[in-house]
Amino acid sequence: MSTKEEISKSTGGSIVDVRTHQEFMGGSVSGSVNIPLHEIPHRVDELKQMQAPLILCCASGNRSGQAANYLSRQGIDCINGGSWLEVNYLTQQEV
């Protein structure tokens, strides 16, 4: 299943944007939580409390891919959603 299919079929879940706070303030997916990539290792317990799967996004998919790789090794159900613009588009299609 592709990432797009996973996001489209995902019921619930939490959207986590791993861009910097400044990037996040410039635009983001409605209802998403901003946890910059460098903070991910320090906030694993918080991430484990969020509704799974975590749909991770950033500007291009690079940082969210790094976060997804790290978090899946911590046993967290997550998806690399890629660009926040793509995640935004896909989540709007569900409405």
Side-chain angles (χ1 to χ4, degrees), residues 5 13 19-21 33-37 39-40 63-64 66 68-70 73 75-76 78 81-83 90:
E5 290 171 329
R19 296 177 297 153
T20 65
H21 293 299
V33 176
N34 181 222
I35 301 178
L37 180 62
E39 294 181 16
I40 294 286
R63 287 174 283 181
S64 56
Q66 292 176 51
N69 185 28
Y70 177 80
R73 285 183 286 151
I76 297 174
C78 59
S83 164
L90 292 170

Side-chain angles (χ1 to χ4, degrees), residues 2-89:
S2 76
T3 301
K4 290 179 183 179
E5 290 171 329
E6 289 178 279
I7 294 169
S8 295
K9 294 182 188 301
S10 177
T11 54
S14 302
I15 301 172
V16 179
D17 191 318
V18 299
R19 296 177 297 153
T20 65
H21 293 299
Q22 186 174 7
E23 289 174 296
F24 185 77
M25 295 307 291
S28 61
V29 179
S30 178
S32 63
V33 176
N34 181 222
I35 301 178
L37 180 62
H38 72 277
E39 294 181 16
I40 294 286
H42 307 289
R43 296 176 71 177
V44 170
D45 289 338
E46 178 183 346
L47 290 158
K48 285 182 177 180
Q49 300 302 312
M50 293 181 176
Q51 184 175 345
L54 301 184
I55 301 166
L56 303 161
C57 62
C58 63
S60 67
N62 183 20
R63 287 174 283 181
S64 56
Q66 292 176 51
N69 185 28
Y70 177 80
L71 292 172
S72 37
R73 285 183 286 151
Q74 307 304 311
I76 297 174
D77 181 15
C78 59
I79 301 165
N80 177 8
S83 164
W84 75 271
L85 292 167
E86 182 74 9
V87 173
N88 191 52
Y89 174 77

